[in-house]
Amino acid sequence: MRVADHPQAGRRGRPPGTSARELELISLRLFTEDGFDETTVERIATAAGVSKRTFFRYFDSKADVLWHAFDGEVRALRAALRAIRADVPMMEAIRQAVVGVNRYRAQDVPELRTRMNLIGSVPALQASAAQHYDAWERAISEFAAGRLGLAADTLYPLAIGRATLAVCRSAYEQWAERADADLTVYLDQALHAVSVGFDPSRLRQ
Amino acid sequence: MRVADHPQAGRRGRPPGTSARELELISLRLFTEDGFDETTVERIATAAGVSKRTFFRYFDSKADVLWHAFDGEVRALRAALRAIRADVPMMEAIRQAVVGVNRYRAQDVPELRTRMNLIGSVPALQASAAQHYDAWERAISEFAAGRLGLAADTLYPLAIGRATLAVCRSAYEQWAERADADLTVYLDQALHAVSVGFDPSRLRQ
DNA sequence: ACGTTAATCGTCATCGCGTGACGAAATCAA
DNA sequence: TTGATTTCGTCACGCGATGACGATTAACGT
């Protein structure tokens, strides 16, 4: 967690020499061109016209630069869950909320797909995923805890949060490598599957 | 993946100065005493009477030393899945297999709990989890793929493998921090929950 | 116009992880 | 004893990440 990005008027001090977004775009390009491990932070920083030290003032690690966008969507997920009416069944509510916050504009799709392909193929990035997924899982867990009347750190809410993320990650990856359908279709299918307990006779074809 | 540990008779060459198991026990002790981040590989190696370089000949990273035991259990899981009769429903088969390979002897429980507490609390260890979980997930995915008549890298098998791991991790953690029941009880409860789609009216109290 | 305050940045030093290269040590076999 | 084999230690190095500290750049107050 770093990255302020608050373009404030009337602020003092030396103006930023770059932005988190610029570092993100440069990193994305270099990672796809040369590979994640082969791209040093020094190179990214130089390409952005700043020093290596400055990069680490924007992001806590080299991997975090790719999770910038994802982190912001947790707030959207929480808001979507709050907006669901109380008479919608729990797993159906989760499905609606998750699918709702994953409707991307067409112009954002290529970058999203590039990012997910990197995350899905580079071990160092998969390793960095855990801490970023944590907040997402908790959002689901706390919603489930409220519905079930349990604490969020007990078995069922925890399991629901993680299982939900698990199937969504599968949907993301299928969508990222194949390009034959909308992301929401995959998510909807995956979340439907978990809500019927993966019962083969109830899985959609 | 490293760690040979093949005590071969009639072999040539200089005998090993330590073993993976010894390094594992020493690491476990130092990690709990001083913390994972505070314990350098240099210290572990010195405590084992070898050099830092030798540690990295046994394990690929400092974190991997804690996953040594876990990696070995994937083979057991695959075998357990193969042994399930074909007329047992898919999710029920998975539940039986997972619970079956997680019956630990009483004397192994303290070390297991120590390891899981570390993995659950140290970010660097959580990050290292991804690559070790991968083989476990694939074992489940491939079993599900066989039952569903699908490829293992398609949505449903992938989702089943990951969701299964997700709820099992929740069970592991609940068991590791509370100490009020057998691990298999938590696992059974978590796997039952996913098999009924987390339907509140069908969750056990 | 000038000094003050505030924010960002660059440089430098440092630590630890992880890896490659290469020779030394220890054991068995011929 | 000699040679082959296996493990080990030393050395060097690159890179990620962090702390300290002074230099830059701008707005603000007088």
Side-chain angles (χ1 to χ4, degrees), chain B residues 82-110:
Chain B
R82 270 195 306 272
I84 304 276
R85 287 178 42 186
D87 58 350
V88 180
M90 179 179 68
M91 294 308 291
E92 170 64 15
I94 291 174
R95 190 186 61 76
Q96 287 181 18
V98 171
V99 172
V101 301
N102 277 283
R103 303 190 188 281
Y104 291 97
R105 293 173 300 176
Q107 70 254 35
D108 296 336
V109 168

Side-chain angles (χ1 to χ4, degrees), chain B residues 12-14 16-17 50-51 53-54 57-58:
Chain B
R12 298 226 224 177
R14 173 176 176 170
V50 296
S51 72
R53 192 65 182 86
T54 293
R57 287 197 178 96
Y58 281 80

Side-chain angles (χ1 to χ4, degrees), chain A residues 12-14 16-17 50-51 53-54 57-58:
Chain A
R12 298 228 222 179
R14 174 175 176 171
V50 296
S51 71
R53 192 63 181 88
T54 293
R57 288 199 178 94
Y58 281 80

Side-chain angles (χ1 to χ4, degrees), chain A residues 69-149:
Chain A
F70 181 87
D71 291 343
E73 288 173 11
V74 176
R75 283 179 303 123
L77 177 62
R78 299 194 103 100
L81 286 170
R82 272 194 305 272
I84 305 276
R85 286 180 40 187
D87 58 350
V88 180
M90 178 179 68
M91 294 308 291
E92 170 65 16
I94 291 175
R95 191 186 61 76
Q96 288 181 18
V98 170
V99 172
V101 300
N102 277 283
R103 303 190 188 282
Y104 291 97
R105 294 173 299 176
Q107 70 253 33
D108 296 336
V109 168
E111 182 185 328
L112 180 63
R113 184 173 260 124
T114 301
R115 202 186 343 253
M116 307 234 53
N117 279 330
L118 274 171
I119 291 173
S121 62
V122 179
L125 289 172
Q126 294 171 354
S128 71
Q131 60 186 108
H132 297 274
Y133 287 153
D134 199 64
W136 200 96
E137 288 174 351
R138 265 208 307 277
I140 303 285
S141 291
E142 289 170 12
F143 174 79
R147 285 299 188 97
L148 296 174

Side-chain angles (χ1 to χ4, degrees), chain B residues 22-203:
Chain B
E22 185 186 2
L23 288 174
E24 188 183 358
L25 290 175
I26 291 175
S27 301
L28 207 53
R29 179 171 58 80
L30 293 178
F31 290 165
T32 50
E33 285 176 1
D34 305 339
F36 179 83
D37 293 322
E38 289 72 21
T39 305
T40 66
V41 174
E42 179 69 39
R43 274 209 63 202
I44 301 171
T46 302
V50 296
S51 72
K52 182 183 74 169
R53 192 65 182 86
T54 293
F55 177 94
F56 286 112
R57 287 197 178 96
Y58 281 80
F59 298 100
D60 287 331
S61 73
K62 183 169 88 162
D64 276 11
V65 71
L66 281 190
W67 294 97
H68 183 194
F70 181 86
D71 290 344
E73 289 172 11
V74 176
R75 284 179 304 121
L77 177 62
R78 298 194 105 101
L81 286 169
R82 270 195 306 272
I84 304 276
R85 287 178 42 186
D87 58 350
V88 180
M90 179 179 68
M91 294 308 291
E92 170 64 15
I94 291 174
R95 190 186 61 76
Q96 287 181 18
V98 171
V99 172
V101 301
N102 277 283
R103 303 190 188 281
Y104 291 97
R105 293 173 300 176
Q107 70 254 35
D108 296 336
V109 168
E111 182 184 328
L112 179 63
R113 182 173 263 125
T114 301
R115 204 186 343 254
M116 306 234 54
N117 279 330
L118 275 170
I119 291 173
S121 62
V122 179
L125 289 172
Q126 294 170 355
S128 72
Q131 60 186 107
H132 297 275
Y133 288 153
D134 199 63
W136 199 97
E137 288 175 350
R138 265 208 307 277
I140 302 285
S141 291
E142 289 170 11
F143 174 78
R147 285 298 188 96
L148 296 173
L150 299 171
D153 64 342
T154 53
L155 181 60
Y156 288 143
L158 272 179
I160 292 170
R162 291 190 173 164
T164 301
L165 174 68
V167 300
C168 288
R169 283 177 50 215
S170 301
Y172 267 113
E173 282 180 22
Q174 290 287 302
W175 170 79
E177 61 186 34
R178 323 196 196 292
D180 55 351
D182 198 81
L183 170 60
T184 56
V185 174
Y186 280 104
L187 284 171
D188 199 79
Q189 199 173 1
L191 289 165
H192 172 261
V194 66
S195 73
V196 300
F198 300 112
D199 180 348
S201 67
R202 300 174 68 190
L203 290 180

